[in-house]
Amino acid sequence: MGKPLFYEMSEKPATCFIIGLCSLIWFYIQKNGIGYSHLGLSYESAVEEGQYWRIITCAFSHVSVIHLVFNMTALWSLGAVEQLKAIGLGMEYYLHYTLLLVILPGLLVLGMYHILVHKYKLEHFRRVIAVGYSCVVFGWMTILSTRQPSAKLELFGVLSLPISLAPFESLVFTSIVVPRASFIGHLAGIVVGYAIAWDVIHGMNNYWAVSMLGWICLAFVCSLKKSGAFSFDFLEIESVADASLPRFLHLGGSN
């Protein structure tokens, strides 16, 4: 027999919190009729319109119930990372690198879109919208497949995948089952996951995590204010230029 659900929840507190948060956000989205275009990440909205806050909102938002169930089921299985302190993982590790897996894949996606749009002239990717916690899920799949390749990934309680192959098997599976899923977004999660697992990105601790979280919250609020997505009456963003300083005009010519 397996462990009682309550006991498993006590061993995965951070995972339970994230699943609860994503579920509440999904309920709010459904109740208020919010769509992909309101919260999702696209090159047009984030880079060209300056709505960088979408890097955060897209990660925790799910419009499709199938997408939500798939991501949260996979995340529940991947919550085993919180229990693996003996091999250098554990809850602190999980929280520290979840923060990176929320931010870095979004930035990588925007970089890929920039190349596809400007170098290869694929205008379609200017408006492709990425949404969902999939980037983080694929990142943790990749990390766990490297750190504990003998583990299994349980999906929907009936499907069990070898964790060593799970990232790429799931990449193909989601592309077939959810055609609108962002292939580039999932691939970005895998790339960042390998960078963390192979210690290309390392050294996160409580100090860096709290500092990064503070800067992310500040950037999120400022981006909401500057883009006009949300009005913070108490917050004023002033121009960097000082109007009191003299301005110089360069005049061409021989003198």
Side-chain angles (χ1 to χ4, degrees):
M1 293 181 63
K3 297 179 181 178
L5 179 61
F6 180 79
Y7 182 76
E8 283 201 59
M9 290 175 65
S10 67
E11 292 185 326
K12 304 176 182 178
T15 302
C16 292
F17 174 78
I18 294 170
I19 290 174
L21 177 63
C22 289
S23 300
L24 286 174
I25 292 173
W26 173 82
F27 179 77
Y28 180 84
I29 287 171
Q30 296 301 310
K31 185 177 180 181
N32 292 275
I34 299 172
Y36 287 95
S37 61
H38 297 97
L39 298 169
L41 179 68
S42 69
Y43 184 84
E44 184 178 53
S45 61
V47 177
E48 297 180 350
E49 299 176 11
Q51 298 177 7
Y52 292 102
W53 50 266
R54 290 175 178 269
I55 294 173
I56 306 296
T57 59
C58 78
F60 296 97
S61 303
H62 298 80
V63 178
S64 165
V65 66
I66 295 176
H67 197 193
L68 174 71
V69 171
F70 178 83
N71 282 345
M72 296 303 103
T73 302
L75 185 64
W76 174 257
S77 182
L78 293 166
V81 172
E82 294 189 66
Q83 304 166 309
L84 298 175
K85 192 172 183 178
I87 62 171
L89 302 180
M91 188 174 71
E92 283 191 7
Y93 184 95
Y94 183 82
L95 291 172
H96 293 166
Y97 288 98
T98 290
L99 189 60
L100 290 179
L101 286 169
V102 168
I103 301 299
L104 295 184
L107 296 175
L108 186 56
V109 165
L110 293 178
M112 290 179 181
Y113 285 166
H114 180 84
I115 293 171
L116 291 170
V117 170
H118 292 283
K119 185 174 182 179
Y120 295 102
K121 309 302 179 184
L122 299 174
E123 290 296 319
H124 164 70
F125 288 97
R126 190 184 297 274
R127 291 173 293 277
V128 171
I129 299 175
V131 66
Y133 205 70
S134 307
C135 290
V136 184
V137 168
F138 275 84
W140 279 119
M141 279 186 199
T142 306
I143 294 169
L144 200 57
S145 70
T146 305
R147 296 295 182 89
Q148 198 178 41
S150 61
K152 297 283 186 179
L153 178 68
E154 304 292 336
L155 295 176
F156 306 109
V158 294
L159 183 62
S160 180
L161 301 175
I163 195 66
S164 57
L165 301 175
F168 297 101
E169 288 177 342
S170 299
L171 187 64
V172 175
F173 179 75
T174 52
S175 298
I176 295 172
V177 175
V178 188
R180 295 184 65 182
S182 174
F183 181 88
I184 291 179
H186 295 167
L187 185 61
I190 292 174
V191 170
V192 175
Y194 275 122
I196 294 171
W198 292 340
D199 289 332
V200 177
I201 301 173
H202 66 283
M204 284 291 289
N205 54 36
N206 290 336
Y207 171 78
W208 287 113
V210 172
S211 299
M212 183 178 293
L213 181 61
W215 283 109
I216 289 170
C217 292
L218 179 62
F220 180 76
V221 171
C222 290
S223 177
L224 281 172
K225 173 72 175 180
K226 192 171 182 180
S227 65
F230 195 87
S231 177
F232 294 95
D233 295 332
F234 62 89
L235 179 65
E236 292 294 335
I237 301 176
E238 297 182 359
S239 174
V240 176
D242 190 345
S244 64
L245 295 176
R247 297 187 178 184
F248 297 93
L249 177 65
H250 175 74
L251 299 177
S254 58
N255 294 326

